[in-house]
Amino acid sequence: RWKDEYKGAAKLSGATEQMERVYNCGDASATLEIRPKLAALVKRHTVQRLFKLKMRVQDNARRMSARGIYVDQDRLDEARKHYTARMATTLAHLRRITNDDEFDPAKPAQLSDAIYTRFGAPVISRTKTGKRTLDATALAWVRPYLAPDGKEFIDHYLLWKQAQKIESTYLREGWRDGKNRVHGIEIQRDGAEHVIFSVTVPVTDRWSSSPNAQNRPEGDGKDPLTNVRRVYRARPGFVL
């Protein structure tokens, strides 16, 4: 009932503190109500030992979240400037190739028109809605069929897309998408990022985290500024 009447329709992006409290209290209340049934199922399937282990690991994850991961602000600023500059450089190349100072690769309509209409790329696949595919795999397939300027365009677009993805997903100040998922990096007043780790949500027994702190790019191995992981540092008195 909670999910149908309130939670399912809740839009927490930009929600008030009171709304978040009601939302979380509803989750806690529902969990408390089903606890006896869950405990009976655990006992019936003789998985008490596994359940206790999971709870101990989850407690460790909770303490890790509370302790946080320290962030080196200087290195974070350097990484942000690096990827912002890379985006600006590749965008300049894209606008030069298209001869359009207003070209925006973030707009699918403009990108599709440039690749498939201006440069004449063959349409080899479409999305479920019938639109021409623009992912990296499709672009790799059509690239050999293009003239030199079309190939150069795709090369610069993929570099721009990679930089934009890293900047927005791992380096930008914390933000939420339309599905209320957290992206970027949120630094609290103690100088640490308090990532929420969970070992009970994934059905494969792996860990999950929000925002995604488990897949931070290591970079190209040549330029240290491309290594997003270097923005983290050990807290005073410890070595990372």
Side-chain angles (χ1 to χ4, degrees):
R1 185 180 61 192
W2 160 254
K3 181 177 180 181
D4 295 337
E5 295 181 0
Y6 182 81
K7 184 177 177 183
K11 301 293 184 181
L12 290 186
S13 181
T16 63
E17 182 177 347
Q18 178 63 24
M19 185 177 178
E20 291 182 352
R21 287 179 179 177
V22 173
Y23 182 94
N24 291 330
C25 286
D27 267 357
S29 177
T31 303
L32 186 61
E33 288 181 15
I34 65 174
R35 184 182 183 282
K37 293 184 178 181
L38 290 178
L41 287 173
V42 168
K43 185 175 181 180
R44 181 187 308 170
H45 295 287
T46 62
V47 291
Q48 297 98 320
R49 187 175 179 182
L50 176 61
F51 177 77
K52 291 180 180 179
L53 176 61
K54 276 274 191 179
M55 291 301 99
R56 285 200 299 269
V57 175
Q58 180 61 53
D59 187 56
N60 288 336
R62 179 190 59 78
R63 285 188 278 116
M64 286 173 57
S65 298
R67 189 174 183 83
I69 309 172
Y70 269 56
V71 177
D72 188 313
Q73 187 64 55
D74 291 337
R75 289 185 175 182
L76 176 60
D77 291 340
E78 287 180 350
R80 284 173 172 169
K81 289 179 181 178
H82 172 80
Y83 281 102
T84 299
R86 178 177 290 190
M87 290 169 60
T89 300
T90 50
L91 177 60
H93 283 298
L94 292 173
R95 289 177 173 176
R96 171 183 57 80
I97 298 169
T98 58
N99 195 29
D100 182 359
D101 291 337
E102 301 297 325
F103 178 76
D104 186 354
K107 296 182 177 180
Q110 291 189 26
L111 182 62
S112 179
D113 183 65
I115 294 174
Y116 292 103
T117 303
R118 182 185 183 91
F119 298 116
V123 181
I124 62 173
S125 63
R126 292 181 181 271
T127 65
K128 293 181 180 179
T129 58
K131 296 180 180 180
R132 296 171 292 195
T133 308
L134 297 170
D135 60 42
T137 301
L139 298 184
W141 275 100
V142 303
R143 186 182 182 281
Y145 298 96
L146 302 180
D149 57 346
K151 293 179 179 178
E152 184 184 9
F153 176 87
I154 286 182
D155 292 342
H156 283 298
Y157 168 71
L158 293 177
L159 289 174
W160 176 88
K161 183 64 178 178
Q162 180 190 50
Q164 186 271 340
K165 172 71 174 178
I166 293 175
E167 188 276 332
S168 64
T169 305
Y170 303 110
L171 298 174
R172 190 179 301 174
E173 187 174 347
W175 59 282
R176 295 176 184 270
D177 61 19
K179 296 183 179 180
N180 205 42
R181 294 175 299 194
V182 181
H183 300 276
I185 183 168
E186 294 183 316
I187 305 175
Q188 304 301 325
R189 286 179 295 181
D190 62 354
E193 181 183 26
H194 294 270
V195 177
I196 299 176
F197 293 100
S198 176
V199 298
T200 58
V201 175
V203 296
T204 57
D205 282 340
R206 64 179 178 83
W207 287 48
S208 66
S209 61
S210 178
N212 186 353
Q214 298 167 273
N215 295 310
R216 305 286 188 183
E218 291 187 86
D220 56 18
K222 301 176 182 178
D223 187 347
L225 290 178
T226 63
N227 186 354
V228 176
R229 300 183 184 186
R230 69 188 291 273
V231 306
Y232 295 102
R233 64 180 176 85
R235 64 175 58 234
F238 292 83
V239 177
L240 182 63

